[in-house]
Amino acid sequence: SELLARSLFACGISTVLQTTLGSRLPLVQIPSFEYLIPAMVLSSHLSLGASTSKNGITSFRNSLPGTVVASACPAPHCAITGSQAASLREVSGAVLVSGLVQLLLGVSGMCGWAARHCGPMVLAPSLSIIGLSAYKEAALFCSTNWGVALLLMLLTVTFSQHLGSCRLPLCAWPQAQGGFTEPSVPTLRTFSVLLPFAGVCVVCAILSHLHIPWESLDLAMAQLSWANSTFHAPWLRIPYAGEWGWPLLTPQALAAGIAMAIGCSMNSVGCYVLCGRLLRAPRLPPHACNRGLCVEGLGSLLAGLLGAPGGTAASIANTCATGLTQADSRPSVQVSALACVVLGMSPRLAGLLTRIPLAVHGGVLCVTYAVAVGTGISYFQYTDIDSGRNIFIVGFAMFMALLVPRWLSAAPAHLATGWVPLDLLFLSLLMVPVFLTGFLSFFLENTVSG
């Protein structure tokens, strides 16, 4: 709950900056998946005290997301070893490095230059892979209870698609001259994510109160539960830099931080394009992309100084939810940023978020990331998809983005250059499908004639 509160605090401040000074799109900032894999590679290497690349990389195969971070609890009631504290500080150092690199990419204009050279043949496979890259996590969460996940998906699809044009007369706004008028946005579509989410959470709470064994957790997932630490967290604690020690800057942290920055920058550029596409807005100009990346770099710098295990990046799930609801209001996103800041100053309230059932998370991922896949496919209409060149670029980029991470997760020891930081950099990048798709499609699109 302490680590979650610090991440939420940094994300709330970054969201305010993003909507006012950055890209000015209605984007919520969160620690994205692209931070998780490099952090896992680094923390698994440190947890075993490995001195060679082979030892550190082999441990990644049997590690689980969150195990190292969840065990490194710096609160006064926790017994934390020196190696765990050093591991957490080194991960925070990697987040700090990623913020500096993102800030450099934004100030130099490299982000805008890359976005200007990303045509439909780059955007189509990249956005599709962004959506497909979360299918394992979605299936893992949904497997705790498929009934709950399917109920949430059914309600979301019904409200956003089948009843998308339905207006409720009870939600009419009064006019100054008297009488009532219907709102301009259909009510059920506007709340097509919030209402199913709240309704399913209430159903899960009722089942738990009635002591009905509705949720099945295997041993691995049960180890990820942080609910026991929620009741020991303080109600109010304002985070500040250096409270748990300053981030450690080592060659390993530098390599992981560079990988974090590259993966998250590519994810954020795709998120900017995705948001504009879903809201039918003009494509974001290069200078706005540069400002947005600079703001995300500042957010990651803040998160690293606060000791959070992840930086800030544009949220694909929230962007896709905005596409479902068509609620493209910056003030609404700023209200969510304020809520994140308040939760960040109350670790006990932030810890309550860990009580949300995993099946609910899985249902939300299934609905939102499916929108990203469909948006990527829609870009094929701007290409000559019958061309053999284009068919090869799309097929090769997407296939390799799914094949290489699976191969490395099964045989990570095959990637060994003899220098640990370089091994961590390559493994962190090659385990991220978004990087592979973006790099291969960008390279082939701008080098293959046709």
Side-chain angles (χ1 to χ4, degrees), residues 99-147:
L100 292 174
V101 175
Q102 282 183 300
L103 195 60
L104 179 62
L105 292 175
V107 171
S108 64
M110 190 174 299
C111 176
W113 174 84
R116 191 167 55 248
H117 288 79
C118 289
M121 288 302 301
V122 179
L123 296 176
S126 298
L127 293 179
S128 299
I129 285 295
I130 285 178
L132 293 174
S133 61
Y135 79 94
K136 288 184 179 180
E137 289 78 8
L140 181 64
F141 293 158
C142 290
S143 62
T144 59
N145 191 294
W146 281 102

Side-chain angles (χ1 to χ4, degrees), residues 89-433:
R89 291 174 59 195
E90 198 153 354
V91 172
S92 299
V95 174
L96 187 68
V97 171
S98 71
L100 292 174
V101 175
Q102 282 183 300
L103 195 60
L104 179 62
L105 292 175
V107 171
S108 64
M110 190 174 299
C111 176
W113 174 84
R116 191 167 55 248
H117 288 79
C118 289
M121 288 302 301
V122 179
L123 296 176
S126 298
L127 293 179
S128 299
I129 285 295
I130 285 178
L132 293 174
S133 61
Y135 79 94
K136 288 184 179 180
E137 289 78 8
L140 181 64
F141 293 158
C142 290
S143 62
T144 59
N145 191 294
W146 281 102
V148 172
L150 290 175
L151 175 61
L152 189 145
M153 286 186 274
L154 176 63
L155 292 176
T156 304
V157 172
T158 302
F159 287 174
S160 64
Q161 306 302 321
H162 297 90
L163 302 178
S165 59
C166 180
R167 292 177 170 88
L168 299 181
L170 297 178
C171 297
W173 296 97
Q175 287 182 329
Q177 296 83 1
F180 293 88
T181 179
E182 291 184 346
S184 58
V185 177
T187 308
L188 290 181
R189 187 183 68 185
T190 304
F191 296 99
S192 60
V193 178
L194 179 61
L195 289 179
F197 177 83
V200 172
C201 285
V202 170
V203 171
C204 294
I206 294 175
L207 293 177
S208 299
H209 181 71
L210 297 177
H211 301 287
I212 298 177
W214 59 274
E215 190 173 20
S216 59
L217 284 174
D218 58 15
L219 180 61
M221 295 304 298
Q223 292 175 351
L224 297 181
S225 177
W226 299 343
N228 293 333
S229 65
T230 301
F231 302 104
H232 301 286
W235 280 107
L236 179 64
R237 173 175 289 176
I238 300 177
Y240 59 89
E243 182 180 5
W244 295 342
W246 296 101
L248 292 178
L249 298 178
T250 62
Q252 291 86 350
L254 179 64
I258 293 175
M260 288 178 179
I262 295 175
C264 290
S265 299
M266 298 177 71
N267 174 82
S268 296
V269 172
C271 198
Y272 300 156
V273 176
L274 178 65
C275 184
R277 176 74 171 170
L278 292 174
L279 299 179
R280 301 179 180 88
R283 187 167 177 175
L284 205 64
H287 60 83
C289 292
N290 294 327
R291 292 199 313 269
L293 202 61
C294 288
V295 167
E296 291 187 12
L298 293 176
S300 297
L301 282 175
L302 176 62
L305 291 175
L306 293 178
T312 62
S315 170
I316 293 292
N318 280 277
T319 303
C320 295
T322 302
L324 290 173
T325 62
Q326 290 297 302
D328 54 347
S329 172
R330 281 199 303 267
S332 64
V333 176
Q334 292 168 351
V335 169
S336 69
L338 178 62
C340 287
V341 172
V342 172
L343 289 173
M345 294 188 296
S346 178
R348 183 169 296 191
L349 290 179
L352 293 178
L353 296 178
T354 63
R355 306 300 295 271
I356 298 175
L358 294 176
V360 176
H361 288 292
V364 172
L365 286 178
C366 290
V367 175
T368 54
Y369 275 76
V371 177
V373 178
T375 306
I377 294 175
S378 69
Y379 272 96
F380 286 121
Q381 64 180 309
Y382 304 114
T383 67
D384 181 12
I385 199 58
D386 291 330
S387 168
R389 168 192 180 273
N390 295 345
I391 290 175
F392 173 78
I393 292 176
V394 172
F396 182 76
M398 296 183 67
F399 186 79
M400 295 303 292
L402 296 176
L403 180 145
V404 174
R406 186 172 182 85
W407 171 67
L408 288 177
S409 63
H414 291 173
L415 183 61
T417 62
W419 190 37
V420 175
L422 189 61
D423 294 341
L424 294 179
L425 175 63
F426 285 156
L427 186 61
S428 299
L429 287 176
L430 296 178
M431 289 291 292
V432 179

Side-chain angles (χ1 to χ4, degrees), residues 33-51:
F33 282 137
E34 284 68 33
Y35 281 101
L36 176 62
I37 294 177
M40 280 301 309
V41 173
L42 177 61
S43 60
S44 61
H45 170 78
L46 297 173
S47 64
L48 294 180
S51 58

